[in-house]
Amino acid sequence: MKKIVVIAALSVVLVSCNKKEESAVKPESKIAYASFGDKITAENAITKEEMLDKYKSLKTGDTLNVKLATKINEICQNKGCWMTLDLGKEENAFVKFKGYSFFVPMNAQKRESVVEGKAFVEETSVAELKHYAEDEGKSADEIAKITEPKTEYKFLAHGVLIAK
């Protein structure tokens, strides 16, 4: 009987020790996010530096399924229907939302974000560039300076997380 009690006591100690180790190992999320579009998590998101390297390897027409964590630079000030993300080295990714099915808050510039979807490279026409410049609230003089199409890093997001 003593052996059974001792074994039971040891089992309780071992189980409680293992539980303490498990809880000490679990990472806690430091950022609380608001979610838009499809439900996604921040887990396994790549950095802006990794994404910029991936963009540089893409050709026009290539796509890449990816999850990216970085800061938001600009957001459409008409509806929140697009945003630009910081890729570092003065590079940005232009993000639209899949099926125009959701928008993001227009005051979320400079917040941390996670986007999941398709990354690609595309040439943007002068007319479209001017339209986006208007959405950003740029002046008529700044818009008039747009005279050539631009090859851009783009992203079609199906889910977005933005730091609260």
Side-chain angles (χ1 to χ4, degrees), residues 62-100:
D62 291 347
T63 62
L64 179 64
N65 291 319
V66 69
K67 187 187 304 185
L68 165 65
T70 189
K71 282 191 177 174
I72 299 169
N73 283 334
E74 297 292 331
I75 295 176
C76 170
Q77 292 301 292
N78 285 334
K79 295 185 211 177
C81 61
W82 58 262
M83 63 184 178
T84 62
L85 298 177
D86 180 30
L87 296 175
K89 299 182 182 180
E90 298 183 23
E91 296 283 355
N92 295 298
F94 184 86
V95 181
K96 286 186 178 180
F97 311 114
K98 187 175 180 183
Y100 210 62

Side-chain angles (χ1 to χ4, degrees), residues 33-85:
Y33 291 104
S35 180
F36 304 89
D38 292 349
K39 185 176 180 176
I40 65 169
T41 67
E43 292 176 355
N44 301 317
I46 64 172
T47 66
K48 65 184 181 181
E49 293 84 5
E50 291 170 308
M51 189 69 241
L52 183 57
D53 287 342
K54 290 181 184 297
Y55 269 123
K56 288 181 178 183
S57 71
L58 294 176
K59 298 178 192 119
T60 301
D62 291 347
T63 62
L64 179 64
N65 291 319
V66 69
K67 187 187 304 185
L68 165 65
T70 189
K71 282 191 177 174
I72 299 169
N73 283 334
E74 297 292 331
I75 295 176
C76 170
Q77 292 301 292
N78 285 334
K79 295 185 211 177
C81 61
W82 58 262
M83 63 184 178
T84 62
L85 298 177

